[in-house]
Amino acid sequence: TNGTTAVTPADAVRYGQFSQVELRPADRRIIKPTGVKLDLGGIGKGWTVDRAADRLVGHAPFLVNAGGDLYAYGSPPNQSAWTVDIPHPVFSDQTIAQLKIADRAVATSSITRRQWWQGNTRMHHLIDPRTGSPADTDLLSVTVVAQRTTIAEVFAKTAVILGSAKGLAFLDSVPEVDALMVTADNRVLFTSQMARYIRVPELSHI
């Protein structure tokens, strides 16, 4: 999308699809079809956090945070883990949950931050590769805890695109990946093992 109009399935076929992007590691080149644009915003942040963490691991406890995509190593002095607040995707002044994290990465994907209107339809920036249009989803946000930030990024976006039922079932089937989801009707859903990381404060809006 260009920020004002959505790409239709017919457009996606005409412009080319992500599966047609060719990677050439030998000469460090990326070949893409005409009309296809690459936006590495989310995964780029996660990759950068992971590279920074790789350099710091083994020296002292740390938390690297790039706009909500983060990696926590060890724990602060006199504590068992780092505390990470997860804001509500709509009521940003509300903390929907607190995570207790050590030697884990966290990433959140949300449809509420980058939105615009096309006619009477609200659009967002998370594109379903199956349609080439913003994902038709009942999820507002997904926060994933994983071993690496790039992994957390990928699975958070995948779950948003799949929606709450399929997304929750899918993430529950992936080892070492746990998640918290907020639905459009204000339900908070968790994967089966997420409780080991989470404490939910009392909220006024849910």
Side-chain angles (χ1 to χ4, degrees):
T1 179
N2 62 11
T4 58
T5 59
V7 178
T8 67
D11 290 333
V13 172
R14 184 168 70 251
Y15 294 146
Q17 297 177 320
F18 74 96
S19 59
Q20 297 172 314
V21 175
E22 182 182 354
L23 303 180
R24 296 184 179 177
D27 55 0
R28 303 179 69 170
R29 298 177 67 191
I30 299 174
I31 310 299
K32 64 183 183 64
T34 301
V36 170
K37 296 181 179 181
L38 300 179
D39 180 355
L40 302 180
I43 200 71
K45 282 198 305 178
W47 184 90
T48 302
V49 170
D50 286 341
R51 298 292 76 75
D54 288 344
R55 290 178 174 270
L56 295 172
V57 164
H59 294 287
F62 66 82
L63 187 146
V64 179
N65 187 348
D69 291 358
L70 60 88
Y71 185 82
Y73 174 71
S75 58
N78 303 317
Q79 299 186 46
S80 61
W82 295 88
T83 299
V84 177
D85 289 346
I86 305 301
H88 191 284
V90 176
F91 307 106
S92 58
D93 60 330
Q94 290 280 324
T95 297
I96 199 167
Q98 287 185 328
L99 306 184
K100 296 294 185 179
I101 301 295
D103 303 325
R104 284 290 184 273
V106 179
T108 297
S109 189
S110 174
I111 69 169
T112 62
R113 296 296 178 86
R114 293 166 60 185
Q115 293 188 344
W116 64 95
W117 288 93
Q118 181 179 330
N120 294 323
T121 303
R122 188 189 298 273
M123 314 296 284
H124 61 82
H125 74 292
L126 292 183
I127 305 301
D128 186 334
R130 298 167 297 187
T131 65
S133 297
D136 183 11
T137 179
D138 64 337
L139 288 171
L140 296 181
S141 70
V142 176
T143 296
V144 168
V145 179
Q147 293 176 309
R148 303 288 283 178
T149 319
T150 48
I151 293 173
E153 268 279 357
V154 168
F155 282 113
K157 285 178 171 57
T158 300
V160 171
I161 291 170
L162 289 174
S164 62
K166 291 183 179 179
L168 190 64
F170 172 63
L171 293 188
D172 248 336
S173 72
V174 181
E176 299 297 326
V177 170
D178 292 293
L180 174 156
M181 305 177 175
V182 182
T183 69
D185 58 357
N186 281 332
R187 291 175 294 138
V188 181
L189 309 176
F190 309 103
T191 52
S192 58
Q193 300 300 311
M194 189 64 177
R196 57 184 163 172
Y197 301 115
I198 202 163
R199 181 170 68 85
V200 180
E202 183 177 343
L203 301 176
S204 61
H205 293 295
I206 291 182

